[in-house]
PDB file of all heavy atoms in Angstrom:
ATOM      1  N   MET R   1      88.513 105.161 118.870  1.00 75.00           N
ATOM      2  CA  MET R   1      89.814 105.935 118.713  1.00 75.00           C
ATOM      3  C   MET R   1      90.799 105.107 117.813  1.00 75.00           C
ATOM      4  O   MET R   1      91.473 105.600 116.982  1.00 75.00           O
ATOM      5  CB  MET R   1      90.320 106.068 120.153  1.00 75.00           C
ATOM      6  CG  MET R   1      89.805 107.192 120.883  1.00 75.00           C
ATOM      7  SD  MET R   1      90.689 107.549 122.527  1.00 75.00           S
ATOM      8  CE  MET R   1      89.695 106.461 123.543  1.00 75.00           C
ATOM      9  N   GLU R   2      90.610 103.729 118.051  1.00 72.00           N
ATOM     10  CA  GLU R   2      91.604 102.863 117.220  1.00 72.00           C
ATOM     11  C   GLU R   2      91.360 103.026 115.711  1.00 72.00           C
ATOM     12  O   GLU R   2      92.155 103.246 114.944  1.00 72.00           O
ATOM     13  CB  GLU R   2      91.425 101.462 117.689  1.00 72.00           C
ATOM     14  CG  GLU R   2      92.265 100.481 117.014  1.00 72.00           C
ATOM     15  CD  GLU R   2      92.104  99.111 117.469  1.00 72.00           C
ATOM     16  OE1 GLU R   2      91.218  98.820 118.315  1.00 72.00           O
ATOM     17  OE2 GLU R   2      92.686  98.221 116.869  1.00 72.00           O
ATOM     18  N   ALA R   4      89.591 105.394 114.162  1.00 80.00           N
ATOM     19  CA  ALA R   4      89.912 106.747 113.629  1.00 80.00           C
ATOM     20  C   ALA R   4      91.445 106.999 113.425  1.00 80.00           C
ATOM     21  O   ALA R   4      91.787 107.575 112.579  1.00 80.00           O
ATOM     22  CB  ALA R   4      89.356 107.764 114.705  1.00 80.00           C
ATOM     23  N   GLY R   5      92.225 106.425 114.367  1.00 78.00           N
ATOM     24  CA  GLY R   5      93.673 106.441 114.190  1.00 78.00           C
ATOM     25  C   GLY R   5      94.132 105.756 113.036  1.00 78.00           C
ATOM     26  O   GLY R   5      95.055 106.252 112.210  1.00 78.00           O
ATOM     27  N   LEU R   6      93.513 104.522 112.675  1.00 75.00           N
ATOM     28  CA  LEU R   6      93.928 103.755 111.464  1.00 75.00           C
ATOM     29  C   LEU R   6      93.521 104.638 110.271  1.00 75.00           C
ATOM     30  O   LEU R   6      94.330 104.615 109.287  1.00 75.00           O
ATOM     31  CB  LEU R   6      93.198 102.477 111.446  1.00 75.00           C
ATOM     32  CG  LEU R   6      93.889 101.341 112.381  1.00 75.00           C
ATOM     33  CD1 LEU R   6      92.979 100.179 112.338  1.00 75.00           C
ATOM     34  CD2 LEU R   6      95.162 100.998 111.822  1.00 75.00           C
ATOM     35  N   CYS R   7      92.291 105.187 110.254  1.00 76.00           N
ATOM     36  CA  CYS R   7      91.921 105.998 109.117  1.00 76.00           C
ATOM     37  C   CYS R   7      92.853 107.236 108.773  1.00 76.00           C
ATOM     38  O   CYS R   7      93.074 107.463 107.690  1.00 76.00           O
ATOM     39  CB  CYS R   7      90.460 106.311 109.216  1.00 76.00           C
ATOM     40  SG  CYS R   7      89.305 105.037 109.036  1.00 76.00           S
ATOM     41  N   ALA R   8      93.244 107.769 109.932  1.00 79.00           N
ATOM     42  CA  ALA R   8      94.024 108.967 109.757  1.00 79.00           C
ATOM     43  C   ALA R   8      95.471 108.573 109.198  1.00 79.00           C
ATOM     44  O   ALA R   8      95.986 109.292 108.243  1.00 79.00           O
ATOM     45  CB  ALA R   8      94.261 109.679 111.060  1.00 79.00           C
ATOM     46  N   VAL R   9      96.032 107.504 109.625  1.00 77.00           N
ATOM     47  CA  VAL R   9      97.334 107.039 109.128  1.00 77.00           C
ATOM     48  C   VAL R   9      97.126 106.568 107.608  1.00 77.00           C
ATOM     49  O   VAL R   9      97.956 106.899 106.793  1.00 77.00           O
ATOM     50  CB  VAL R   9      97.915 105.948 109.975  1.00 77.00           C
ATOM     51  CG1 VAL R   9      99.209 105.316 109.419  1.00 77.00           C
ATOM     52  CG2 VAL R   9      98.216 106.560 111.403  1.00 77.00           C
ATOM     53  N   TRP R  10      96.087 105.877 107.377  1.00 76.00           N
ATOM     54  CA  TRP R  10      95.868 105.411 105.978  1.00 76.00           C
ATOM     55  C   TRP R  10      95.658 106.586 105.010  1.00 76.00           C
ATOM     56  O   TRP R  10      96.258 106.735 103.999  1.00 76.00           O
ATOM     57  CB  TRP R  10      94.538 104.466 105.915  1.00 76.00           C
ATOM     58  CG  TRP R  10      94.350 104.033 104.574  1.00 76.00           C
ATOM     59  CD1 TRP R  10      94.862 102.988 103.961  1.00 76.00           C
ATOM     60  CD2 TRP R  10      93.434 104.586 103.650  1.00 76.00           C
ATOM     61  NE1 TRP R  10      94.351 102.756 102.666  1.00 76.00           N
ATOM     62  CE2 TRP R  10      93.573 103.801 102.450  1.00 76.00           C
ATOM     63  CE3 TRP R  10      92.566 105.646 103.730  1.00 76.00           C
ATOM     64  CZ2 TRP R  10      92.667 104.107 101.361  1.00 76.00           C
ATOM     65  CZ3 TRP R  10      91.872 105.960 102.577  1.00 76.00           C
ATOM     66  CH2 TRP R  10      91.929 105.113 101.441  1.00 76.00           C
ATOM     67  N   SER R  11      94.956 107.637 105.466  1.00 77.00           N
ATOM     68  CA  SER R  11      94.826 108.833 104.673  1.00 77.00           C
ATOM     69  C   SER R  11      96.126 109.485 104.410  1.00 77.00           C
ATOM     70  O   SER R  11      96.313 109.934 103.295  1.00 77.00           O
ATOM     71  CB  SER R  11      93.695 109.811 105.363  1.00 77.00           C
ATOM     72  OG  SER R  11      92.476 109.184 105.422  1.00 77.00           O
ATOM     73  N   TRP R  12      96.907 109.540 105.405  1.00 78.00           N
ATOM     74  CA  TRP R  12      98.226 110.176 105.317  1.00 78.00           C
ATOM     75  C   TRP R  12      99.122 109.434 104.308  1.00 78.00           C
ATOM     76  O   TRP R  12      99.695 110.056 103.456  1.00 78.00           O
ATOM     77  CB  TRP R  12      98.833 110.242 106.591  1.00 78.00           C
ATOM     78  CG  TRP R  12     100.342 110.572 106.435  1.00 78.00           C
ATOM     79  CD1 TRP R  12     100.825 111.927 106.287  1.00 78.00           C
ATOM     80  CD2 TRP R  12     101.467 109.691 106.618  1.00 78.00           C
ATOM     81  NE1 TRP R  12     102.150 111.893 106.247  1.00 78.00           N
ATOM     82  CE2 TRP R  12     102.529 110.535 106.349  1.00 78.00           C
ATOM     83  CE3 TRP R  12     101.603 108.349 106.691  1.00 78.00           C
ATOM     84  CZ2 TRP R  12     103.898 109.985 106.378  1.00 78.00           C
ATOM     85  CZ3 TRP R  12     102.790 107.881 106.667  1.00 78.00           C
ATOM     86  CH2 TRP R  12     103.923 108.639 106.581  1.00 78.00           C
ATOM     87  N   SER R  13      98.990 108.086 104.343  1.00 75.00           N
ATOM     88  CA  SER R  13      99.925 107.306 103.497  1.00 75.00           C
ATOM     89  C   SER R  13      99.373 107.206 102.068  1.00 75.00           C
ATOM     90  O   SER R  13     100.093 107.063 101.038  1.00 75.00           O
ATOM     91  CB  SER R  13     100.138 105.910 104.049  1.00 75.00           C
ATOM     92  OG  SER R  13      98.937 105.198 104.038  1.00 75.00           O
ATOM     93  N   ARG R  14      98.047 107.044 101.894  1.00 75.00           N
ATOM     94  CA  ARG R  14      97.552 106.802 100.504  1.00 75.00           C
ATOM     95  C   ARG R  14      97.101 107.949  99.779  1.00 75.00           C
ATOM     96  O   ARG R  14      97.311 108.084  98.506  1.00 75.00           O
ATOM     97  CB  ARG R  14      96.302 105.895 100.600  1.00 75.00           C
ATOM     98  CG  ARG R  14      96.649 104.566 100.969  1.00 75.00           C
ATOM     99  CD  ARG R  14      97.635 103.926 100.069  1.00 75.00           C
ATOM    100  NE  ARG R  14      97.083 102.758  99.480  1.00 75.00           N
ATOM    101  CZ  ARG R  14      97.773 102.006  98.494  1.00 75.00           C
ATOM    102  NH1 ARG R  14      98.914 102.424  98.203  1.00 75.00           N
ATOM    103  NH2 ARG R  14      97.270 100.826  98.095  1.00 75.00           N
ATOM    104  N   ARG R  15      96.667 109.045 100.378  1.00 73.00           N
ATOM    105  CA  ARG R  15      96.078 110.256  99.707  1.00 73.00           C
ATOM    106  C   ARG R  15      97.140 111.354  99.799  1.00 73.00           C
ATOM    107  O   ARG R  15      96.847 112.437  99.303  1.00 73.00           O
ATOM    108  CB  ARG R  15      94.927 110.650 100.399  1.00 73.00           C
ATOM    109  CG  ARG R  15      93.803 109.587 100.244  1.00 73.00           C
ATOM    110  CD  ARG R  15      92.514 110.146 100.810  1.00 73.00           C
ATOM    111  NE  ARG R  15      91.528 109.013 100.761  1.00 73.00           N
ATOM    112  CZ  ARG R  15      90.369 109.153 101.491  1.00 73.00           C
ATOM    113  NH1 ARG R  15      90.071 110.109 102.176  1.00 73.00           N
ATOM    114  NH2 ARG R  15      89.439 108.127 101.309  1.00 73.00           N
ATOM    115  N   ALA R  16      98.361 111.035 100.259  1.00 70.00           N
ATOM    116  CA  ALA R  16      99.407 112.125 100.384  1.00 70.00           C
ATOM    117  C   ALA R  16      98.843 113.442 101.088  1.00 70.00           C
ATOM    118  O   ALA R  16      99.219 114.520 100.689  1.00 70.00           O
ATOM    119  CB  ALA R  16      99.878 112.504  98.919  1.00 70.00           C
ATOM    120  N   CYS R  17      98.056 113.204 102.142  1.00 75.00           N
ATOM    121  CA  CYS R  17      97.564 114.319 102.929  1.00 75.00           C
ATOM    122  C   CYS R  17      98.815 114.820 103.729  1.00 75.00           C
ATOM    123  O   CYS R  17      99.851 114.263 103.751  1.00 75.00           O
ATOM    124  CB  CYS R  17      96.493 113.889 103.806  1.00 75.00           C
ATOM    125  SG  CYS R  17      95.035 113.303 102.994  1.00 75.00           S
ATOM    126  N   GLY R  18      98.625 115.917 104.475  1.00 77.00           N
ATOM    127  CA  GLY R  18      99.701 116.561 105.142  1.00 77.00           C
ATOM    128  C   GLY R  18     100.070 115.777 106.418  1.00 77.00           C
ATOM    129  O   GLY R  18      99.405 114.668 106.712  1.00 77.00           O
ATOM    130  N   SER R  19     101.113 116.184 107.119  1.00 81.00           N
ATOM    131  CA  SER R  19     101.578 115.382 108.178  1.00 81.00           C
ATOM    132  C   SER R  19     100.618 115.533 109.390  1.00 81.00           C
ATOM    133  O   SER R  19     100.800 114.747 110.305  1.00 81.00           O
ATOM    134  CB  SER R  19     102.957 115.801 108.596  1.00 81.00           C
ATOM    135  OG  SER R  19     102.941 117.212 108.840  1.00 81.00           O
ATOM    136  N   LEU R  20      99.629 116.400 109.189  1.00 84.00           N
ATOM    137  CA  LEU R  20      98.706 116.575 110.379  1.00 84.00           C
ATOM    138  C   LEU R  20      97.856 115.250 110.536  1.00 84.00           C
ATOM    139  O   LEU R  20      97.612 114.989 111.759  1.00 84.00           O
ATOM    140  CB  LEU R  20      97.777 117.712 110.108  1.00 84.00           C
ATOM    141  CG  LEU R  20      96.745 118.053 111.055  1.00 84.00           C
ATOM    142  CD1 LEU R  20      97.295 118.442 112.419  1.00 84.00           C
ATOM    143  CD2 LEU R  20      95.705 118.994 110.619  1.00 84.00           C
ATOM    144  N   PHE R  21      97.722 114.544 109.563  1.00 80.00           N
ATOM    145  CA  PHE R  21      96.955 113.278 109.600  1.00 80.00           C
ATOM    146  C   PHE R  21      97.731 112.287 110.400  1.00 80.00           C
ATOM    147  O   PHE R  21      97.163 111.501 111.183  1.00 80.00           O
ATOM    148  CB  PHE R  21      96.502 112.828 108.221  1.00 80.00           C
ATOM    149  CG  PHE R  21      95.353 113.336 107.680  1.00 80.00           C
ATOM    150  CD1 PHE R  21      95.455 114.608 106.983  1.00 80.00           C
ATOM    151  CD2 PHE R  21      94.153 112.783 107.786  1.00 80.00           C
ATOM    152  CE1 PHE R  21      94.208 115.209 106.392  1.00 80.00           C
ATOM    153  CE2 PHE R  21      92.962 113.309 107.243  1.00 80.00           C
ATOM    154  CZ  PHE R  21      93.046 114.420 106.485  1.00 80.00           C
ATOM    155  N   LEU R  22      98.969 112.259 110.171  1.00 80.00           N
ATOM    156  CA  LEU R  22      99.834 111.363 110.772  1.00 80.00           C
ATOM    157  C   LEU R  22      99.902 111.698 112.374  1.00 80.00           C
ATOM    158  O   LEU R  22      99.927 110.813 113.258  1.00 80.00           O
ATOM    159  CB  LEU R  22     101.204 111.337 110.301  1.00 80.00           C
ATOM    160  CG  LEU R  22     102.238 110.248 110.745  1.00 80.00           C
ATOM    161  CD1 LEU R  22     101.800 108.829 110.547  1.00 80.00           C
ATOM    162  CD2 LEU R  22     103.606 110.487 110.103  1.00 80.00           C
ATOM    163  N   LEU R  23     100.002 112.918 112.636  1.00 86.00           N
ATOM    164  CA  LEU R  23     100.055 113.390 114.123  1.00 86.00           C
ATOM    165  C   LEU R  23      98.725 113.097 114.807  1.00 86.00           C
ATOM    166  O   LEU R  23      98.762 112.698 115.876  1.00 86.00           O
ATOM    167  CB  LEU R  23     100.229 114.900 114.165  1.00 86.00           C
ATOM    168  CG  LEU R  23     101.726 115.339 113.718  1.00 86.00           C
ATOM    169  CD1 LEU R  23     101.936 116.803 113.735  1.00 86.00           C
ATOM    170  CD2 LEU R  23     102.718 114.803 114.540  1.00 86.00           C
ATOM    171  N   VAL R  24      97.621 113.344 114.188  1.00 86.00           N
ATOM    172  CA  VAL R  24      96.236 112.934 114.737  1.00 86.00           C
ATOM    173  C   VAL R  24      96.103 111.558 114.941  1.00 86.00           C
ATOM    174  O   VAL R  24      95.687 111.013 116.050  1.00 86.00           O
ATOM    175  CB  VAL R  24      95.179 113.529 113.709  1.00 86.00           C
ATOM    176  CG1 VAL R  24      93.835 112.985 114.205  1.00 86.00           C
ATOM    177  CG2 VAL R  24      95.100 115.061 113.789  1.00 86.00           C
ATOM    178  N   GLY R  25      96.652 110.713 114.012  1.00 83.00           N
ATOM    179  CA  GLY R  25      96.420 109.269 114.182  1.00 83.00           C
ATOM    180  C   GLY R  25      97.456 108.780 115.459  1.00 83.00           C
ATOM    181  O   GLY R  25      96.978 107.963 116.194  1.00 83.00           O
ATOM    182  N   GLY R  26      98.690 109.297 115.471  1.00 84.00           N
ATOM    183  CA  GLY R  26      99.603 109.002 116.694  1.00 84.00           C
ATOM    184  C   GLY R  26      98.844 109.447 117.882  1.00 84.00           C
ATOM    185  O   GLY R  26      98.959 108.803 118.900  1.00 84.00           O
ATOM    186  N   ALA R  27      98.283 110.644 117.944  1.00 89.00           N
ATOM    187  CA  ALA R  27      97.626 111.135 119.135  1.00 89.00           C
ATOM    188  C   ALA R  27      96.449 110.292 119.539  1.00 89.00           C
ATOM    189  O   ALA R  27      96.222 110.074 120.830  1.00 89.00           O
ATOM    190  CB  ALA R  27      97.259 112.671 118.976  1.00 89.00           C
ATOM    191  N   LEU R  28      95.670 109.804 118.635  1.00 86.00           N
ATOM    192  CA  LEU R  28      94.529 108.866 118.911  1.00 86.00           C
ATOM    193  C   LEU R  28      95.013 107.650 119.480  1.00 86.00           C
ATOM    194  O   LEU R  28      94.396 107.079 120.451  1.00 86.00           O
ATOM    195  CB  LEU R  28      93.745 108.638 117.642  1.00 86.00           C
ATOM    196  CG  LEU R  28      92.814 109.904 117.307  1.00 86.00           C
ATOM    197  CD1 LEU R  28      92.257 109.722 115.822  1.00 86.00           C
ATOM    198  CD2 LEU R  28      91.731 110.136 118.364  1.00 86.00           C
ATOM    199  N   PHE R  29      96.053 107.055 118.855  1.00 81.00           N
ATOM    200  CA  PHE R  29      96.659 105.769 119.466  1.00 81.00           C
ATOM    201  C   PHE R  29      97.072 106.012 120.938  1.00 81.00           C
ATOM    202  O   PHE R  29      96.940 105.090 121.821  1.00 81.00           O
ATOM    203  CB  PHE R  29      97.671 105.147 118.529  1.00 81.00           C
ATOM    204  CG  PHE R  29      97.176 104.702 117.262  1.00 81.00           C
ATOM    205  CD1 PHE R  29      97.954 104.962 116.070  1.00 81.00           C
ATOM    206  CD2 PHE R  29      95.963 104.003 117.143  1.00 81.00           C
ATOM    207  CE1 PHE R  29      97.571 104.500 114.902  1.00 81.00           C
ATOM    208  CE2 PHE R  29      95.626 103.563 115.948  1.00 81.00           C
ATOM    209  CZ  PHE R  29      96.258 103.725 114.722  1.00 81.00           C
ATOM    210  N   ALA R  30      97.861 107.132 121.085  1.00 85.00           N
ATOM    211  CA  ALA R  30      98.321 107.451 122.530  1.00 85.00           C
ATOM    212  C   ALA R  30      97.172 107.648 123.505  1.00 85.00           C
ATOM    213  O   ALA R  30      97.324 107.098 124.533  1.00 85.00           O
ATOM    214  CB  ALA R  30      99.233 108.617 122.456  1.00 85.00           C
ATOM    215  N   LEU R  31      96.238 108.271 123.059  1.00 86.00           N
ATOM    216  CA  LEU R  31      95.058 108.503 123.846  1.00 86.00           C
ATOM    217  C   LEU R  31      94.269 107.130 124.205  1.00 86.00           C
ATOM    218  O   LEU R  31      93.965 106.865 125.433  1.00 86.00           O
ATOM    219  CB  LEU R  31      93.976 109.443 123.188  1.00 86.00           C
ATOM    220  CG  LEU R  31      92.788 109.884 124.055  1.00 86.00           C
ATOM    221  CD1 LEU R  31      93.182 110.659 125.261  1.00 86.00           C
ATOM    222  CD2 LEU R  31      91.838 110.671 123.145  1.00 86.00           C
ATOM    223  N   LEU R  59      99.380  96.990 109.370  1.00 73.00           N
ATOM    224  CA  LEU R  59     100.473  97.761 108.643  1.00 73.00           C
ATOM    225  C   LEU R  59     101.406  96.858 107.761  1.00 73.00           C
ATOM    226  O   LEU R  59     101.808  97.250 106.749  1.00 73.00           O
ATOM    227  CB  LEU R  59     101.316  98.487 109.713  1.00 73.00           C
ATOM    228  CG  LEU R  59     100.596  99.733 110.303  1.00 73.00           C
ATOM    229  CD1 LEU R  59     101.454 100.296 111.513  1.00 73.00           C
ATOM    230  CD2 LEU R  59     100.336 100.784 109.277  1.00 73.00           C
ATOM    231  N   TRP R  63     101.840  97.247 103.756  1.00 71.00           N
ATOM    232  CA  TRP R  63     103.219  97.324 103.168  1.00 71.00           C
ATOM    233  C   TRP R  63     103.611  96.185 102.142  1.00 71.00           C
ATOM    234  O   TRP R  63     104.162  96.378 101.158  1.00 71.00           O
ATOM    235  CB  TRP R  63     104.289  97.476 104.137  1.00 71.00           C
ATOM    236  CG  TRP R  63     104.326  98.860 104.796  1.00 71.00           C
ATOM    237  CD1 TRP R  63     104.180 100.015 104.175  1.00 71.00           C
ATOM    238  CD2 TRP R  63     104.513  99.080 106.137  1.00 71.00           C
ATOM    239  NE1 TRP R  63     104.383 101.018 105.034  1.00 71.00           N
ATOM    240  CE2 TRP R  63     104.588 100.533 106.247  1.00 71.00           C
ATOM    241  CE3 TRP R  63     104.922  98.415 107.253  1.00 71.00           C
ATOM    242  CZ2 TRP R  63     104.813 101.167 107.521  1.00 71.00           C
ATOM    243  CZ3 TRP R  63     105.090  98.975 108.487  1.00 71.00           C
ATOM    244  CH2 TRP R  63     105.011 100.324 108.567  1.00 71.00           C
ATOM    245  N   LEU R  68     102.504  99.589  99.949  1.00 52.00           N
ATOM    246  CA  LEU R  68     102.528 100.975 100.409  1.00 52.00           C
ATOM    247  C   LEU R  68     103.951 101.482 100.655  1.00 52.00           C
ATOM    248  O   LEU R  68     104.344 102.359 100.234  1.00 52.00           O
ATOM    249  CB  LEU R  68     101.959 100.920 101.973  1.00 52.00           C
ATOM    250  CG  LEU R  68     101.719 102.192 102.651  1.00 52.00           C
ATOM    251  CD1 LEU R  68     100.643 102.924 101.989  1.00 52.00           C
ATOM    252  CD2 LEU R  68     101.291 101.838 104.084  1.00 52.00           C
TER     253      LEU R  68
END
Side-chain angles (χ1 to χ4, degrees):
M1 283 185 272
E2 180 183 356
L6 280 173
C7 288
V9 172
W10 181 84
S11 295
W12 168 79
S13 66
R14 287 306 234 182
R15 297 182 183 168
C17 296
S19 60
L20 181 63
F21 279 83
L22 187 61
L23 292 174
V24 168
L28 285 169
F29 291 139
L31 184 63
L59 287 173
W63 283 320
L68 183 67

